[in-house]
Amino acid sequence: MTSHDRPLPRLVLLLSGAGSNLQAIIDAIEAGQLPARVVAVISNRADAPGLQRAARHGIPSQVISHRDHPDRASFDAALASAIDHYQPDWVLLAGFMRILTPQFVDHFRDRLLNIHPSLLPAYPGLDTHRRVLAAGEREHGATLHLVTEALDAGPTVLQGRFAVEADDDAATLAQKVHRLEHQIYPAALALLVSGQLRIDQGRLFYLDQPVPAEGLQWDQVL
Ligand code: GRF
């Protein structure tokens, strides 16, 4: 069997908002840079513009609202079973604004990735650009990481960074971070799909060597 006969790896993407990372992944696939398929997009918000992006590219989508569920556990159970239906190889969080239960995380162990707008472990949580400016940081960036029970604290897969300029404000930082995210998310997926990057029981390997704690750096894997 040649690589051409193999079914394409299946991606399910979870979002709550704009979906520019979804778009970057779709663009990479359509440009032939990422041999994979986005088999479904799931949103917890019916008004997420990312859903329209999915529709424009013929990708099935589904809304599962947390408001229709009495608690986090039942929302996560509904979400997990919707995702399972699509039999994904990877589940990608891209601006999905819900905290996931340990049960959910465990169910998708080694298959669940998230993109975060800071140089983790610095600045987990929300409002990262403003906090980076307030602290006078000289660098900022984006981190793709494996999702574990601890919020924004799973092993770093790939990180990209840039210098904070004197005239940067929260809006310019957000723009620069987004630009970087749109490069590193598809690039990391391409490494995963090719097998150059492997995830095994929460540990990451790049070209069969353990990935250091700070993750792969974007300028090393370009
Ligand atoms: C990104 O900045 C990501 O880091 C954060 O949410 C944002 C999602 O943006 N988790 P988009 O919806 O992909 O445009």
Side-chain angles (χ1 to χ4, degrees):
M1 184 161 155
T2 70
S3 62
H4 293 290
D5 303 321
R6 232 175 273 145
L8 288 171
R10 300 168 66 81
L11 313 177
V12 168
L13 194 137
L14 271 50
L15 53 74
S16 306
S20 68
N21 279 285
L22 165 66
Q23 190 67 55
I25 290 166
I26 293 172
D27 291 349
I29 290 172
E30 292 184 353
Q33 294 157 355
L34 174 58
R37 242 178 94 197
V38 181
V39 290
V41 169
I42 300 179
S43 173
N44 63 315
R45 296 185 55 118
D47 60 355
L51 292 169
Q52 288 152 29
R53 296 184 196 266
R56 279 202 290 276
H57 292 269
I59 298 168
S61 67
Q62 206 172 324
V63 175
I64 301 178
S65 173
H66 51 282
R67 300 223 169 89
D68 295 338
H69 295 272
D71 52 34
R72 211 179 274 287
S74 73
F75 171 69
D76 277 13
L79 189 60
S81 90
I83 297 170
D84 281 343
H85 169 80
Y86 294 102
Q87 303 185 310
D89 295 287
W90 282 287
V91 180
L92 311 175
L93 307 180
F96 187 64
M97 302 303 285
R98 301 292 303 168
I99 292 173
L100 297 161
T101 54
Q103 288 75 10
F104 182 97
V105 172
D106 193 48
H107 186 76
F108 294 108
R109 188 164 296 285
D110 287 350
R111 290 190 287 157
L112 189 59
L113 298 167
N114 181 44
I115 187 89
H116 182 80
S118 79
L119 293 170
L120 290 175
Y123 303 101
L126 297 174
D127 213 8
T128 56
H129 313 307
R130 198 192 49 75
R131 287 156 60 209
V132 159
L133 287 170
E137 297 286 0
R138 302 171 68 139
E139 278 196 315
H140 190 28
T143 304
L144 184 76
H145 67 96
L146 199 56
V147 177
T148 58
E149 281 80 0
L151 181 67
D152 297 333
T156 292
V157 177
L158 180 58
Q159 197 161 62
R161 59 186 67 228
F162 59 88
V164 176
E165 307 289 345
D167 59 353
D168 269 321
D169 56 23
T172 60
L173 287 186
Q175 234 173 36
K176 291 178 185 180
V177 165
H178 256 125
R179 211 175 301 142
L180 205 48
E181 290 181 346
H182 300 162
Q183 294 177 297
I184 71 176
Y185 217 150
L189 292 173
L191 293 177
L192 279 169
V193 160
S194 72
Q196 293 178 78
L197 186 62
R198 277 190 307 110
I199 305 172
D200 186 8
Q201 298 183 45
R203 287 176 311 159
L204 303 168
F205 298 88
Y206 179 58
L207 304 177
D208 288 326
Q209 300 300 313
V211 170
E214 65 273 20
L216 297 175
Q217 298 300 306
W218 173 233
D219 50 5
Q220 290 168 0
V221 295
L222 269 178

